[in-house]
Amino acid sequence: MFTAARIIDISLAIGTQAPAWPGDPPLEVRPAHTFATSGWHTSVLTMSAHAGTHIDAPGHILPSAPLLDAFGLERFILPAVVVDAGPGPLAGAEAVRRSGLRPGEALLVRTDNSARGLADASGAMRTDFTALSPEAARACVDAGASLVGIDAPSVDPYGGPVPAHETLMRAGVLVMEWLALAAAPPGRHLLVCLPLHLPGVEASPVRAVLLEGAAG
């Protein structure tokens, strides 16, 4: 049986810890059936494909690029390196270079978003989050990253162009956003972040976990 030293949940609660992106529908949960009317309980969920901790495929940004169902399951179960990028409005390329990232691995970037408590139950998404610099995105591509994640609602700053998305996605790199990395120790772990099996979508919420000590 597979064992790991510790299972670390790096997912945020949809709708509470991770508010919806401005303009996206917030999470709505309503009953379709109730015990009183039907004898059982069934919920209807309304939300964005980018709700909470989620993965973006290149088709999110690039026309005619692959959607999420074009990627095999091996892209969502893989060794990952957690790196602490420190404070600042943008996580820089130096953090990528000192991470020891190997080709085919995931890089998970912990910024001061985690320390500042960016994810909370206030209801409105804060737009002053730390994002990924274009140089850091290029360093991820040059290092052969398979997936890049960050503890922010986007790898790019709010309200402007999306150079980090474009650099990563033109290279076929998947992007994972709204991670909970405060309790994730820097270093190499096994990442499991399976998206929902939804054909034809550009993104999906995931329940992402790290298996500490399971990756060499």
Side-chain angles (χ1 to χ4, degrees):
M1 186 174 99
F2 174 81
T3 58
R6 183 165 60 121
I7 300 175
I8 306 168
D9 191 352
I10 57 171
S11 307
L12 295 174
I14 297 173
T16 55
Q17 290 180 306
W21 187 268
D24 281 0
L27 173 67
E28 179 187 358
V29 183
R30 59 183 176 84
H33 298 278
T34 67
F35 289 110
T37 60
S38 304
W40 62 85
H41 179 67
T42 306
S43 297
V44 175
L45 309 179
T46 302
M47 61 182 176
S48 167
H50 302 258
T53 304
H54 66 277
I55 288 182
D56 294 342
H60 170 45
I61 295 294
L62 306 175
S64 304
L67 299 173
L68 207 51
D69 56 2
F71 296 89
L73 293 179
E74 70 278 359
R75 295 293 298 270
F76 310 107
I77 305 174
L78 71 167
V81 180
V82 176
V83 64
D84 194 331
L90 293 173
E94 174 57 30
V96 180
R97 287 192 280 266
R98 61 179 164 78
S99 69
L101 183 70
R102 302 166 184 164
E105 293 184 330
L107 182 68
L108 307 183
V109 182
R110 185 174 66 196
T111 71
D112 60 352
N113 293 329
S114 293
R116 291 192 293 135
L118 190 77
D120 59 33
S122 64
M125 191 197 84
R126 289 173 53 181
T127 59
D128 61 337
F129 55 83
T130 297
L132 201 66
S133 73
E135 295 78 16
R138 171 49 56 189
C140 289
V141 171
D142 292 343
S146 178
L147 180 152
V148 172
I150 193 169
D151 57 351
S154 175
V155 292
D156 283 292
Y158 179 77
V162 289
H165 273 95
E166 291 181 352
T167 295
L168 294 169
M169 291 178 169
R170 288 188 189 283
V173 180
L174 296 168
V175 171
M176 187 159 54
E177 297 164 330
W178 261 140
L179 288 170
L181 295 176
R188 188 166 276 103
H189 314 281
L190 184 65
L191 170 66
V192 180
C193 55
L194 294 167
L196 299 176
H197 196 175
L198 294 171
V201 298
E202 82 294 342
S204 171
V206 299
R207 187 64 179 266
V209 300
L210 293 175
L211 306 182
E212 187 178 18

